[in-house]
Every structure is written in C-alpha cells, then in structure tokens.
Amino acid sequence: ILFLGLLGQVALFESNGRRSMAEARRLFLRELKGLNWASLHDLESTVLNQNIRRLPPALCDAISLESIVTESQGQQIDRIDLISRELKAAPGPPSEWTDHETDWLGPTEVVIPWSLSPRRLHILGWMRDSRRPTRSPSKP
C-alpha cells in the first residue's frame, strides 16, 4: 500500500470522545500490520513571507531537489535545519510552520524540501514500514 500525500493531511479520528488520537493511530498501524506499505507525506509546511526566488541564493540551492537523491539522511536533516534557520533569519516577519504530526508513523528515511508554489514550502518525508520483519532470501 502506498500513501502519497495522505498521512499528515487527514485526521484519523474526529473528537467525539470515543477514542484518543493515540488509540486511533495504534488502530491504524494495527490494520496495516503484515502488509508492505510506505508513505510520502508532509512533515512540516509553511507559507513564506516572500517569493522563494527572492531568497538568498544559498537558501534557494538548499530548497532545490537536485542533490537530494545522493545525500545521506544526516545530510538531508542538515539541509532541512539550514532551510529552517535561514527562513527564520530572513528579513520581515517570521514564517509560521505547521507540524503535520507524522512522527508516530516511524523513522523517516528521506527528507525532501518541496516548493509547492512560489511562497509555499513543504518538507516531505518518505518512509517504509520498519516494524515488519524482513525475510532473508532462501538458501539453495
């Protein structure tokens, strides 16, 4: 099962007093148990106070996707930290960030900055279910 842009956008429950958010998340993961699944989803997002093209060149380069495929996870996290720091230091009022609260899904394998529009920036995360044991190839 592949979730593309769904998790982090859709609430798994409505506040009706029947279950907590933690319980809804636990039930969701329980239903996926034993299945191969992955997700590309929002980690954080913001609406910038200025057009991305007007940002300093180093920050524009950090937001570009050109080298993301070859970066290690540590380098990706460093890149996201740079983006966050630089945006907070940019002239004008600070941008407000939305945490899409997807940490409960499991460890993020790849972090991707995505400029959805000239002022809207999303930080995406890719992960595969790490709770399912992997089978080793059978030996002849």
Side-chain angles (χ1 to χ4, degrees):
I1 299 172
L2 177 59
F3 297 98
L4 291 174
L6 178 68
L7 304 178
Q9 296 294 331
V10 176
L12 294 178
F13 77 106
E14 292 190 26
S15 183
N16 59 11
R18 293 190 321 172
R19 68 175 49 105
S20 68
M21 184 183 306
E23 178 69 4
R25 290 172 176 174
R26 188 187 66 71
L27 291 171
F28 178 81
L29 292 175
R30 183 186 75 191
E31 293 301 315
L32 291 174
K33 190 172 184 168
L35 300 173
N36 287 318
W37 66 278
S39 178
L40 179 66
H41 53 270
D42 288 300
L43 299 173
E44 295 180 285
S45 61
T46 189
V47 176
L48 302 170
N49 295 316
Q50 59 183 310
N51 189 307
I52 287 175
R53 292 182 196 101
R54 292 188 182 143
L55 295 171
L59 187 51
C60 289
D61 290 345
I63 293 171
S64 77
L65 298 178
E66 292 175 12
S67 64
I68 195 80
V69 192
T70 60
E71 290 181 336
S72 70
Q73 186 177 20
Q75 289 171 315
Q76 293 166 17
I77 298 299
D78 289 346
R79 177 196 290 240
I80 299 309
D81 287 345
L82 169 72
I83 292 168
S84 178
R85 264 193 328 271
E86 292 291 324
L87 286 175
K88 288 175 184 170
S95 301
E96 290 187 30
W97 285 83
T98 300
D99 181 349
H100 290 265
E101 300 179 12
T102 51
D103 292 347
W104 61 275
L105 290 167
T108 301
E109 295 177 35
V110 179
V111 179
I112 306 164
W114 179 35
S115 51
L116 184 59
S117 74
R119 291 188 56 204
R120 185 153 192 92
L121 177 65
H122 286 238
I123 306 299
L124 305 178
W126 165 260
M127 60 85 59
R128 293 174 289 172
D129 178 28
S130 61
R131 288 171 282 285
R132 184 167 190 224
T134 56
R135 294 188 325 196
S136 55
S138 31
K139 295 182 182 179

